[in-house]
């Protein structure tokens, strides 16, 4: 097809050359013949030039299409490999060896950082691990290595969340309902909804200098250590109903932007100076002192 088109272009070019040159000689017989030939040649050459431009444009489009197909193939291969890595890592989270579970968690976190479409799913999986039944042993118990696995999960969750100073970052939700949390530290991070219902907080847990873009629920949870939630902004609802805090809870300068509930909650020691409420709640006595 290309050869026939090239032949047709050459014949058309010759035709235009003869036509233009002949017309000039007919219209002005006294004009120099070389000028007629030159003009006819230019006209014929223009046909060749147009064909060359069309051919180059066609080659460019073909090359772009080839590159697009190659890019799609590479993305498909990467997605397939990522899916295989993801499935394998999730499978290894159930391994009986703690070191293997830790490695699986790091593999999932690395995948979430390299392919952001996995981030929310990986966060959900790490949170689900923390929601598994857990009975803490004494720190000197050689079997207490499970705590180190859980601390790894907590740290990786923190690492995957955008920092407080980031502008317009992707916002992810966390569901830590029924989790056993110890030394959880989400300070200087941003989240969407943060659900920690029916959870148990031990030792010290930090949620200070955060921005919670959604709702915060810590209903029916228990805390026997230190709970730091100062200088935090909660945009949505904040519910502490039936929350039992046996240690100190610090909420200094925290902003509550939505409805806040403290129904049937118990507080041993609260520092809440500088707190602001968009909707004034019925504060427990410990919060009013």
């Amino acid at each position: 097809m290309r050869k026939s088109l090239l032949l047709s272009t050459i014949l058309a070019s010759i035709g235009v050359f003869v036509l233009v040159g002949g017309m000039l000689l007919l219209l002005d017989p006294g004009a120099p013949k070389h000028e007629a030939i030159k003009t006819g040649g230019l006209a014929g050459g223009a046909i060749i030039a147009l064909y060359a431009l069309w051919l180059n444009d066609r080659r460019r489009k073909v090359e772009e299409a080839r590159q697009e197909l190659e890019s799609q193939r590479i993305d498909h291969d990467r997605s397939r490999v990522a899916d295989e890595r993801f499935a394998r890592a999730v499978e290894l989270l159930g391994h009986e060896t703690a070191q293997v579970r830790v490695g699986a968690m790091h593999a999932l976190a690395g995948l979430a950082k390299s392919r952001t479409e996995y981030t929310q799913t990986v966060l959900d999986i790490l949170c689900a691990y923390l929601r598994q039944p857990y009975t803490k042993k004494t720190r000197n118990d050689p079997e207490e290595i499970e705590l180190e696995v859980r601390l790894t999960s907590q740290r990786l969750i923190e690492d995957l969340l955008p920092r407080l100073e980031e502008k317009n970052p992707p916002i992810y939700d966390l569901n830590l309902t029924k989790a056993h949390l110890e030394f959880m530290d989400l300070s200087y991070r941003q989240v969407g909804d943060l659900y920690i219902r029916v959870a148990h907080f031990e030792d010290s847990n930090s949620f200070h200098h955060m921005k919670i873009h959604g709702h915060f629920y810590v209903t029916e949870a228990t805390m026997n250590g230190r709970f730091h939630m100062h200088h935090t902004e909660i945009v949505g609802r904040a519910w502490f109903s039936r929350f039992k805090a046996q240690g100190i809870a610090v909420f200094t300068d925290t902003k509550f932007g939505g409805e806040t509930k403290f129904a049937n909650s118990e507080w041993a020691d609260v520092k809440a100076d500088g707190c602001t409420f968009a909707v004034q709640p019925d504060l427990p006595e410990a919060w009013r002192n």
Side-chain angles (χ1 to χ4, degrees):
M1 179 180 178
R2 185 177 297 178
K3 290 183 178 179
S4 63
L5 184 58
L6 176 59
L7 179 60
S8 298
T9 302
I10 293 174
L11 292 176
S13 177
I14 294 173
V16 169
F17 166 71
V18 173
L19 179 62
V20 172
M23 288 294 294
L24 289 175
L25 291 174
L26 287 174
L27 293 174
D28 189 4
K33 291 183 179 181
H34 70 274
E35 289 295 335
I37 294 173
K38 179 180 178 181
T39 303
L42 290 174
I47 299 297
I48 299 295
L50 288 173
Y51 170 75
L53 289 173
W54 173 85
L55 187 62
N56 286 335
D57 183 66
R58 186 171 181 273
R59 287 173 176 169
R60 178 183 59 81
K61 290 180 178 179
V62 169
E63 180 62 21
E64 288 178 351
R66 187 192 66 78
Q67 291 179 355
E68 178 65 22
L69 289 173
E70 181 66 14
S71 177
Q72 291 177 0
R73 184 191 65 79
I74 293 173
D75 286 343
H76 175 74
D77 290 344
R78 287 176 177 171
S79 296
R80 177 180 55 80
V81 171
D83 289 343
E84 292 174 353
R85 287 173 54 199
F86 175 79
R88 180 58 176 161
V90 171
E91 180 182 352
L92 290 175
L93 282 178
H95 199 278
E96 62 182 9
T97 304
Q99 290 86 342
V100 175
R101 297 198 298 275
V102 168
M105 290 178 180
H106 280 283
L108 287 170
L111 181 61
K113 290 179 179 179
S114 62
R115 300 185 70 88
T116 56
E117 64 268 25
Y118 282 94
T119 304
Q120 183 62 67
T121 301
V122 170
L123 285 169
D124 291 342
I125 292 171
L126 294 174
C127 288
Y129 189 91
L130 294 174
R131 294 202 303 269
Q132 293 181 5
Y134 171 69
T135 301
K136 183 178 177 181
K137 301 178 176 62
T138 62
R139 290 194 177 275
N140 295 327
D141 192 320
E143 296 183 2
E144 188 49 13
I145 192 171
E146 173 61 20
L147 177 60
E148 299 304 319
V149 180
R150 300 176 70 86
L151 292 176
T152 297
S153 181
Q154 292 180 179
R155 181 176 59 79
L156 292 175
I157 289 172
E158 175 193 356
D159 290 343
L160 289 175
L161 294 176
R163 294 194 62 83
L164 183 63
E165 66 269 16
E166 293 183 43
K167 302 297 183 182
N168 301 315
I171 300 300
Y172 305 109
D173 301 326
L174 296 182
N175 185 354
L176 290 162
T177 298
K178 296 185 177 180
H180 180 106
L181 302 177
E182 186 170 349
F183 300 114
M184 185 74 170
D185 186 359
L186 299 183
S187 56
Y188 296 95
R189 301 289 172 173
Q190 300 185 57
V191 298
D193 292 328
L194 180 54
Y195 295 161
I196 324 181
R197 294 185 176 110
V198 202
H200 177 69
F201 299 93
E202 191 164 344
D203 288 316
S204 178
N205 291 272
S206 297
F207 304 92
H208 60 84
H209 291 90
M210 290 184 66
K211 182 167 185 180
I212 301 173
H213 294 265
H215 307 306
F216 176 69
Y217 288 88
V218 69
T219 53
E220 297 188 60
T222 59
M223 183 269 287
N224 61 8
R226 298 181 299 280
F227 190 85
H228 299 280
M229 202 170 188
H230 51 89
H231 299 89
T232 286
E233 179 183 0
I234 304 172
V235 176
R237 294 187 295 271
W239 286 11
F240 297 87
S241 304
R242 298 177 298 282
F243 179 55
K244 293 179 172 54
Q246 298 176 9
I248 185 171
V250 183
F251 290 88
T252 303
D253 289 328
T254 285
K255 298 178 181 179
F256 295 87
E259 184 181 7
T260 307
K261 289 187 177 181
F262 295 93
N264 300 312
S265 60
E266 300 175 9
W267 305 86
D269 187 7
V270 176
K271 295 186 182 300
D273 48 304
C275 282
T276 58
F277 298 89
V279 180
Q280 188 60 39
D282 184 11
L283 291 173
E285 182 178 353
W287 281 69
R288 296 194 295 266
N289 294 337

